[in-house]
Amino acid sequence: MAARAFWRAQTKLLLLATAAGGAGAGAFAIANSEDPASALKLSTTVPIRLLRDAATAASIAFDYEYSLWGLPDGSKERERVKHEVHTRSALKLQELCFRNGGIYIKLGQHISQLEYLVPDEYVQVMRQSMLNKCPVSSYEQVLEVFKKELGGAPDKIFDEFNPVPIASASLAQVHIARTHDGQKVAVKVQHTHMTDTAEADYATVELIVNTLHRIFPSFDYRWLVEEMRESLPKELDFLGEAKNSIKCMDNFRRLSPRIAEYVYAPTVYWNLSTSKLLVMEFIDGAQVNDCRAIKKLGIQPSDVSKLLSQAFAEMMFKHGFVHCDPHAANVLVRPLPSGSIFGKKKPQLVLLDHGLYKDLDNSMRINYASLWKGLVFSDANAIKENSVKLGAGEDLYVLFAGILTMRPWDKVIDPAVDHLVVQGTDRSELQMYASQYFPQITELLGRLPRVILLMLKTNDCLRAVNRALIGDASLETFFIVGRVSSEAVIQSKLLQSKSVLTRVRVWFEEFLLEARLFGLQTAVWLLKLQKALTL
């Protein structure tokens, strides 16, 4: 009874702190508003959103405490009930994200990728809803944006404009239109509520996260709030997004010419684009996780998986300028426009939504490449050395390696060629580790540089897409990561070489590396042959 009373006291504290903070959050947003109408709107919407947050948090907390009360740890009954509570709570959180919209949906999308940190029920519920079922702005709201940004209605600016969006995301929705010269375009329109409530939502989410951290010290997501405060204004600037797409394509042409034609970003119509409206070339393609649609295009999902791994490895390890939101709705696949090779259609990736990019400085880029090289080649010393350089510390580098690979340490350093491939039976083991080491994982995420946290998010997105394409990351995926990361490390050493002797040493290292990669590739081929013969 004492424990239950203590829990109730905690829940009341959360409610009181959240409600009390509502006035402060609302007042802050209103004081910083230049639009009196928006300020008045905020003064009514912010308290409602805060109360909604508090009610949802209290409901979830009570459900866990009441439903699991008295059930012994490790019992089948407790596990059954816990699964039910996880599912109910995930649905409550999903409803809260949809009702509040904006930043909350971004949080829901992030939760959908945290397989190593939250129960699978939350991951699955958020993944099924947060990418393609976001709230839609009304046509009146779309008109409002057009009039403010371009001074006229869509039917005046375009020859045709479909008022029904083809897609809606957390920050914007997309309409199909046709220009006066007959070009089919995609028009990305920012949701009006994003600018109306963004600052207040920052304050609200920060309040909730800080309050939860005070009550439950092991629950520390303050780093996530800080990251959102920094990255979201950039995502809300569509002109910045357009510039990112151009820089990304230029990097592929300069630094990764071998695959440059296999990666594409839609052309931007600059004369029709503003910070809240983005008009782009319309691209018809299949979503990157839609195997059936990809096969209808005459493309093999395994080829898409390899190209996806190659493209993002190049961005991370060679470009240092990384698209950090490659979830399924942001990447399309189409046949390579230049034609097929020996009658076989090759895929081209079309990257959408260039709002969230991160720069890796040269030192961090090479350390990150060296870490992945060590992971692929089971080099424990390299893993430890570069994990420490990236901020994990000598006490949590093993955990860091586990989060990156979704494998326990004994598998990470196993010399077997397939040591990093996650089997279907490993999922329950991963969830057990996540639950067992939750405080350490939270500490690690708070310790790592935010740019590395975004690399983790990118890895999680890519892992989810690869799972849809081929079941799980394949040996070929890790071979690609090993090759590109190794090339980046060798290139860096050659650039830093100041003597002939040093260059000779690096060339010899490169020779040994090529031999090792050849051995790895041969092992991959043999395992594929063995698998084919046993089918």
Side-chain angles (χ1 to χ4, degrees):
M1 291 299 292
R4 181 173 293 187
F6 179 60
W7 182 274
R8 288 172 179 167
Q10 290 177 326
T11 302
K12 288 180 180 178
L13 175 60
L14 174 60
L15 280 164
L16 288 171
T18 306
F28 177 81
I30 292 168
N32 286 274
S33 175
E34 298 178 358
D35 185 348
S38 297
L40 181 60
K41 182 178 179 180
L42 283 173
S43 67
T44 56
T45 58
V46 170
I48 292 173
R49 293 158 86 87
L50 279 161
L51 288 172
R52 193 181 291 149
D53 295 342
T56 301
S59 173
I60 290 173
F62 177 78
D63 195 359
Y64 275 102
E65 176 67 11
Y66 182 80
S67 300
L68 298 176
W69 180 261
L71 297 178
D73 287 339
S75 66
K76 291 184 178 180
E77 179 65 12
R78 183 180 179 89
E79 292 305 308
R80 182 188 67 79
V81 173
K82 186 189 292 184
H83 167 71
E84 294 174 354
V85 180
H86 283 335
T87 302
R88 286 197 301 270
S89 300
L91 290 171
K92 290 174 186 176
L93 187 58
Q94 175 198 65
E95 182 183 3
L96 174 69
C97 291
F98 278 148
R99 292 185 70 182
N100 281 356
I103 291 175
Y104 291 84
I105 291 177
K106 296 295 289 185
L107 282 170
Q109 290 175 346
H110 193 76
I111 290 171
S112 74
Q113 310 299 336
L114 296 179
E115 294 177 291
Y116 50 83
L117 196 56
V118 300
D120 190 58
E121 292 83 353
Y122 285 85
V123 172
Q124 296 306 321
V125 166
M126 295 301 173
R127 189 170 289 171
Q128 291 166 11
S129 60
M130 290 293 158
L131 299 183
N132 296 311
K133 300 177 182 178
C134 296
V136 175
S137 292
S138 68
Y139 186 60
E140 287 72 24
Q141 291 171 315
V142 171
L143 282 174
E144 180 184 337
V145 175
F146 263 88
K147 289 176 181 178
K148 283 185 178 179
E149 298 300 309
L150 296 178
D155 56 359
K156 302 295 183 184
I157 294 164
F158 297 101
D159 190 52
E160 298 175 15
F161 184 86
N162 190 339
V164 179
I166 60 169
S168 183
S170 56
L171 307 183
Q173 62 193 45
V174 179
H175 296 257
I176 295 178
R178 195 172 295 277
T179 62
H180 291 297
D181 60 358
Q183 298 298 313
K184 190 175 183 181
V185 294
V187 184
K188 184 174 179 179
V189 185
Q190 194 170 118
H191 294 310
T192 55
H193 67 263
M194 285 308 305
T195 48
D196 288 343
T197 64
E199 194 60 48
D201 283 344
Y202 284 137
T204 301
V205 172
E206 186 172 25
L207 172 70
I208 293 169
V209 169
N210 287 339
T211 303
L212 283 170
H213 177 60
R214 285 195 294 271
I215 297 174
F216 310 108
S218 64
F219 185 97
D220 189 0
Y221 281 82
R222 290 173 294 176
W223 59 267
L224 180 56
V225 177
E226 293 171 1
E227 174 54 41
M228 288 179 60
R229 183 175 288 278
E230 178 182 314
S231 64
L232 196 58
K234 297 177 183 177
E235 293 186 74
L236 290 171
D237 178 9
F238 289 173
L239 291 178
E241 175 182 339
K243 293 173 184 175
N244 285 343
S245 70
I246 291 174
K247 182 176 179 179
C248 176
M249 293 300 99
D250 182 59
N251 282 342
F252 274 101
R253 285 188 291 269
R254 290 186 304 105
L255 304 172
S256 307
R258 287 179 301 177
I259 66 165
E261 67 171 324
Y262 294 92
V263 184
Y264 188 77
T267 301
V268 175
Y269 287 71
W270 292 95
N271 61 319
L272 296 174
S273 298
T274 73
S275 62
K276 294 180 175 59
L277 270 173
L278 185 59
V279 181
M280 303 163 286
E281 168 191 10
F282 179 83
I283 302 291
D284 194 12
Q287 272 198 1
V288 71
N289 66 341
D290 190 341
C291 288
R292 183 177 298 179
I294 289 171
K295 289 177 181 177
K296 282 184 178 180
L297 295 173
I299 298 170
Q300 291 301 312
S302 58
D303 289 341
V304 176
S305 173
K306 287 184 282 188
L307 177 57
L308 187 75
S309 299
Q310 176 86 28
F312 278 85
E314 298 277 340
M315 279 192 262
M316 290 179 186
F317 306 135
K318 292 185 179 179
H319 305 178
F321 185 66
V322 187
H323 186 308
C324 290
D325 204 13
H327 61 68
N330 284 346
V331 184
L332 299 180
V333 178
R334 67 176 181 177
L336 186 68
S338 60
S340 59
I341 299 177
F342 303 113
K344 182 181 179 182
K345 290 185 178 179
K346 303 297 288 184
Q348 184 185 63
L349 297 180
V350 181
L351 302 181
L352 308 175
D353 196 347
H354 297 263
L356 183 58
Y357 273 76
K358 279 294 178 181
D359 284 296
L360 292 168
D361 64 44
N362 192 60
S363 174
M364 191 170 292
R365 176 176 64 84
I366 297 305
N367 289 337
Y368 193 57
S370 300
L371 172 58
W372 269 106
K373 177 174 175 282
L375 290 167
V376 171
F377 291 118
S378 309
D379 186 338
N381 291 331
I383 294 170
K384 179 178 180 179
E385 177 186 347
N386 290 287
S387 293
V388 171
K389 287 180 179 178
L390 290 169
E394 296 197 3
D395 55 334
L396 293 179
Y397 74 91
V398 169
L399 186 60
F400 186 33
I403 288 177
L404 282 168
T405 62
M406 302 294 285
R407 306 297 280 145
W409 180 248
D410 62 329
K411 295 291 185 182
V412 170
I413 59 174
D414 189 331
V417 67
D418 60 346
H419 69 292
L420 294 182
V421 177
V422 180
Q423 306 296 332
T425 55
D426 294 328
R427 303 236 165 262
S428 58
E429 183 181 3
L430 291 171
Q431 286 293 325
M432 181 188 71
Y433 279 122
S435 175
Q436 183 178 354
Y437 294 106
F438 179 85
Q440 292 91 332
I441 293 174
T442 304
E443 181 182 347
L444 174 64
L445 297 180
R447 183 186 295 181
L448 293 171
R450 290 208 297 271
V451 66
I452 296 299
L453 295 176
L454 265 293
M455 294 305 102
L456 292 178
K457 177 179 182 290
T458 303
N459 288 337
D460 295 337
C461 288
L462 295 173
R463 188 180 290 117
V465 171
N466 268 318
R467 187 176 306 118
L469 289 169
I470 56 175
D472 265 307
S474 68
L475 279 174
E476 288 169 298
T477 297
F478 289 112
F479 173 77
I480 290 167
V481 171
R483 172 170 285 283
V484 178
S485 60
S486 299
E487 288 174 350
V489 173
I490 292 294
Q491 287 173 5
S492 175
K493 288 182 178 181
L494 284 172
L495 288 173
Q496 293 175 6
S497 299
K498 296 182 180 179
S499 68
V500 174
L501 181 60
T502 305
R503 281 184 171 272
V504 170
R505 287 175 179 170
V506 175
W507 286 331
F508 183 66
E509 182 182 342
E510 185 177 13
F511 172 78
L512 294 177
L513 179 63
E514 286 297 330
R516 197 172 184 183
L517 285 168
F518 178 77
L520 181 60
Q521 180 69 82
T522 302
V524 169
W525 286 336
L526 290 174
L527 284 173
K528 287 177 67 177
L529 178 62
Q530 181 183 21
K531 184 178 179 181
L533 292 174
T534 56
L535 291 178

